Amino acid sequence: MKNIFIIALFLLILIVGISVGAQNSQEIVVNYVLASASMPVSTLIAVCMLAGFILALLLLGGVLTRLKWQLARANSQIKRQQTSDTNK
């Protein structure tokens, strides 16, 4: 159920991004640190959304990995304590 909700939320955000991008077809100039590029607003919105999504995945992936490692360590400590209690 939770996965269905997450997928539906992702699709909703994607649809909103596509609809906003479709209505913004003007060309703009984006100045980078070393260069500049001319692109439609819809492309810039898509690139920024993708960059934010990838950044969030990287940050969340690191946090989740650390939490899963801590949980596995705590579970192994619980098992060790349970086996030592049954041996007494």
Side-chain angles (χ1 to χ4, degrees):
M1 184 69 182
K2 182 179 176 184
N3 290 337
I4 293 172
F5 177 72
I6 291 172
I7 291 171
L9 182 64
F10 176 74
L11 289 176
L12 178 68
I13 292 172
L14 184 66
I15 290 169
V16 168
I18 289 171
S19 65
V20 168
Q23 294 179 3
N24 293 308
S25 60
Q26 283 183 313
E27 288 278 326
I28 59 170
V29 176
V30 179
N31 293 317
Y32 303 106
V33 175
L34 299 174
S36 66
S38 177
M39 65 181 71
V41 175
S42 59
T43 304
L44 181 63
I45 290 171
V47 167
C48 289
M49 285 181 69
L50 182 64
F53 183 72
I54 290 171
L55 182 63
L57 279 179
L58 290 174
L59 292 174
L60 188 63
V63 170
L64 285 177
T65 302
R66 183 175 47 93
L67 288 174
K68 284 184 179 183
W69 182 75
Q70 286 176 349
L71 180 62
R73 191 173 57 176
N75 282 338
S76 67
Q77 287 176 351
I78 289 171
K79 285 182 183 178
R80 265 187 282 150
Q81 287 180 352
Q82 287 175 347
T83 56
S84 67
D85 288 344
T86 57
N87 291 338
K88 289 183 180 179

